[in-house]
């Protein structure tokens, strides 16, 4: 796939975990940001929700929060997808909540990250995590309007309880959700182009 001409030809992996003021970014905002950014850059886009097994979807639809046992195989599948794109020298964006630090380690290093929460000296993949940050009332409003998704709004509290926001030495940037969508996309793109986050 052709990259945007203004983007340096370096392999990057971008994760849009999407969280805000201690709560995960639901209401499809992370998907909207991720897909818009991918379209602008000419990169591949993946929505992690599309890769949940049927059992996970049924569990969430029934109002039961997922646990680590439910999420780890799903995260390993996502790592394999990013690993495949890396092998093909394809830039990619993945919209995914990635609530815990361990989950983000699995996305970077695969199943080998399950036994330790310490970052690998040589990570398997180079991923930039984008932390979408904003007030709870914005997200609650979007959840009320969302239709046709398997996760009900009632599970927001459980995700808040699970969330571990990105922190050093993780490779991440934080972007405010209170900005208009075009500004959010531009800020992430600028961080990539200006090298504000080291992804090499």
């Amino acid at each position: 796939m052709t990259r945007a001409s203004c983007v340096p030809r370096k392999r990057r992996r971008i994760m849009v975990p999407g969280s805000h003021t201690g709560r995960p970014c639901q209401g499809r905002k992370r998907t909207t940001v991720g897909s818009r950014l991918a379209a602008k850059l000419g990169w591949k886009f993946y929505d992690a929700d599309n890769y949940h097994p049927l059992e996970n979807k049924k569990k969430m639809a029934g109002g039961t929060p997922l646990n680590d046992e439910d999420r780890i195989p799903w995260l390993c599948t996502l790592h394999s997808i990013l690993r495949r794109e890396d092998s093909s020298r394809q830039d990619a964006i993945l919209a995914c909540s990635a609530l815990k630090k361990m989950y983000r380690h699995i996305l970077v290093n695969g199943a080998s990250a399950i036994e330790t929460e310490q970052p690998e000296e040589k990570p398997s993949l180079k991923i930039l995590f984008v932390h979408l940050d904003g007030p709870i009332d914005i997200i609650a409003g979007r959840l009320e309007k969302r239709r046709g998704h398997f996760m009900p709004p009632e599970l927001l509290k459980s995700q808040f309880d699970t969330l571990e926001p990105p922190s050093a030495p993780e490779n991440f940037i934080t972007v405010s959700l209170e900005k208009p969508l075009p500004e959010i996309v531009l800020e992430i793109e600028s961080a990539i182009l200006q090298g504000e986050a080291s992804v090499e």
Side-chain angles (χ1 to χ4, degrees), residues 29 133 138 142 175-184 187:
K29 187 67 173 185
D133 183 80
I138 292 178
R142 291 186 184 129
V175 179
S176 173
L177 269 177
E178 297 185 85
K179 298 178 180 180
L181 178 61
E183 289 188 26
I184 293 174
E187 185 170 341

Side-chain angles (χ1 to χ4, degrees), residues 9-154:
R9 287 182 172 273
K10 297 178 180 179
R11 287 186 296 163
R12 294 185 173 89
R13 299 295 167 269
I14 295 193
M15 167 67 54
V16 183
S19 52
H20 61 96
T21 331
R23 287 177 169 78
C25 175
Q26 296 297 335
R28 312 304 292 161
K29 187 67 173 185
R30 65 173 180 262
T31 299
T32 302
V33 171
S35 60
R36 184 73 64 89
L37 182 63
K40 188 174 184 180
L41 296 176
W43 294 6
K44 275 195 175 182
F45 174 73
Y46 294 93
D47 186 344
D49 283 348
N50 294 335
Y51 296 90
H52 270 297
L54 182 59
E55 293 78 8
N56 284 6
K57 293 180 179 180
K58 286 181 177 180
K59 190 171 183 179
M60 286 185 280
T64 302
L66 299 181
N67 55 33
D68 289 354
E69 185 177 345
D70 299 318
R71 289 190 177 105
I72 286 175
W74 168 65
L75 293 164
C76 287
T77 296
L78 297 174
H79 169 79
S80 296
I81 291 171
L82 294 180
R83 188 70 179 266
R84 181 190 67 208
E85 298 301 339
D86 181 76
S87 297
S88 301
R89 302 186 65 82
Q90 171 65 59
D91 295 318
I93 294 175
L94 171 68
C96 179
S97 53
L99 299 170
K100 289 184 178 182
K101 184 175 291 187
M102 180 185 72
Y103 298 169
R104 296 188 290 273
H105 286 173
I106 293 173
L107 288 170
V108 172
N109 296 299
S112 64
I114 297 173
E115 297 180 359
T116 175
E117 294 189 8
Q118 298 301 317
E120 300 283 342
E121 290 185 6
K122 293 183 178 180
S124 176
L125 295 174
K126 309 272 175 65
I127 296 178
L128 169 63
F129 292 91
V130 179
H131 181 78
L132 298 174
D133 183 80
I136 181 61
D137 56 338
I138 292 178
I139 307 306
R142 291 186 184 129
L143 281 171
E144 291 299 324
K145 296 176 182 178
R146 185 173 65 174
R147 296 290 183 270
H149 193 268
F150 51 80
M151 197 200 90
E154 293 75 22

